[in-house]
Amino acid sequence: MLTYQTWKKPSVQFEIDPVYKGALNVLEWTYDHYGESVVYACSFGIEGIVLIDLLTKVQPKATIVFLDTAVHFKETYETIEKVKEKYPGITIHMKKPELTIQEQAETYGDKLWERNPNQCCQIRKLDPLKETLSKGNAWISGLRREQSPTRSQVEFINKDDKFQSVKICPLIHWTWKEIWRYVHKHNLSYNPLHDQGYPSIGCFHCTTKAIDINDLRSGRWKGKGKTECGLH
């Protein structure tokens, strides 16, 4: 089995078919290789909606982890409930941080996301995901190369030094238009905030409408000099 500890660049080649851009082939390999131990860490943005539909074609009883920071938009939580109804076989773990928002304020001061967003992301996202991934050898992510310069070199199968795991990214060749085309073709429910100028959706304190139509993540951590929560 390919693990972080036994990492050697995979020799497996995946066909980049015109319909799924290799995504289904990658997912089939992933579940064959890792079985039930692999988890999909999903934010339930539009890429997540597509990836959930794809992975349930391969593994209808897939395990999904949502990093429930307790400060997501209500629309995000409503979207999760719709996904549960559509795919009753999947298991969605709502992974919460060790500290509640109140406990975080008591320990680090109020509104930590304004003063030190990196530390807030560490507490509410990175630490919970690290704990989750410590129990397995691989995880699935919805990264696409088109999303940002920092994601442009991602491969289908990646050595993840941050979490000492193997990160699988089935959607790397999908474009923004292809994601939406798939959603509409299959009539998939998605977060309504996408229709209100939010191409990338995170916690409500740190997410605004996109300020640059050519940068899908330009509404994240506006004015903080930060474009990633640190998961990738």
Side-chain angles (χ1 to χ4, degrees):
M1 177 186 292
L2 180 66
T3 68
Y4 180 82
Q5 290 73 22
T6 64
W7 176 266
K8 187 166 61 175
K9 189 172 182 179
S11 60
V12 59
Q13 298 291 321
F14 299 103
E15 179 187 354
I16 313 301
D17 59 288
V19 177
Y20 299 110
K21 300 298 186 72
L24 279 187
N25 297 327
V26 172
L27 289 169
E28 288 172 354
W29 177 90
T30 299
Y31 284 103
D32 285 344
H33 198 75
Y34 295 105
E36 297 181 359
S37 68
V38 68
V39 299
Y40 170 31
C42 182
S43 64
F44 289 87
I46 197 65
E47 287 92 353
I49 295 301
V50 170
L51 193 43
I52 289 173
D53 192 71
L54 294 178
L55 67 85
T56 54
K57 296 180 186 299
V58 177
Q59 176 48 274
K61 296 183 179 181
T63 298
I64 296 173
V65 173
F66 175 68
L67 301 177
D68 186 5
T69 62
V71 284
H72 285 287
F73 291 93
K74 67 178 181 62
E75 289 88 347
T76 300
Y77 292 108
E78 290 168 355
T79 299
I80 292 173
E81 292 305 311
K82 291 179 180 179
V83 169
K84 289 180 179 178
E85 292 177 8
K86 182 174 178 60
Y87 309 98
I90 65 174
T91 298
I92 300 178
H93 292 302
M94 305 290 281
K95 181 63 176 175
K96 296 181 181 297
E98 183 177 341
L99 301 178
T100 65
I101 290 293
Q102 182 176 347
E103 290 169 340
Q104 178 174 295
E106 292 171 353
T107 304
Y108 298 97
D110 194 27
K111 298 182 180 180
L112 181 62
W113 48 84
E114 292 184 359
R115 295 179 289 102
N116 192 339
N118 287 332
Q119 186 177 30
C120 189
C121 286
Q122 182 72 45
I123 294 169
R124 311 206 71 75
K125 288 187 175 181
L126 274 70
D127 289 345
L129 183 58
K130 183 177 182 180
E131 180 183 354
T132 298
L133 298 184
S134 67
K135 303 171 185 177
N137 293 307
W139 64 296
I140 299 170
S141 170
L143 295 185
R144 294 183 300 107
R145 289 181 175 179
E146 186 191 56
Q147 285 173 322
S148 68
T150 59
R151 301 180 179 189
S152 63
Q153 301 301 312
V154 68
E155 302 287 350
F156 281 131
I157 307 173
N158 306 267
K159 184 183 182 186
D160 187 349
D161 292 319
K162 185 183 295 290
F163 295 106
Q164 297 191 359
S165 184
V166 175
K167 181 164 64 176
I168 313 295
C169 302
L171 299 180
I172 59 173
H173 294 300
W174 287 58
T175 66
W176 184 243
K177 288 183 179 180
E178 288 167 340
I179 289 290
W180 279 102
R181 190 178 300 128
Y182 186 93
V183 167
H184 291 309
K185 179 180 179 179
H186 297 278
N187 195 30
L188 302 180
S189 296
Y190 59 87
N191 195 321
L193 291 176
H194 284 307
D195 294 332
Q196 300 172 33
Y198 295 80
S200 179
I201 304 168
C203 300
F204 61 75
H205 292 299
C206 301
T207 304
T208 61
K209 295 181 180 181
I211 58 178
D212 181 353
I213 60 173
N214 296 313
D215 182 356
L216 300 179
R217 298 182 63 81
S218 61
R220 304 293 296 275
W221 301 282
K222 184 179 177 181
K224 302 294 185 182
K226 175 178 168 69
T227 60
E228 298 279 1
C229 62
L231 296 182
H232 307 292

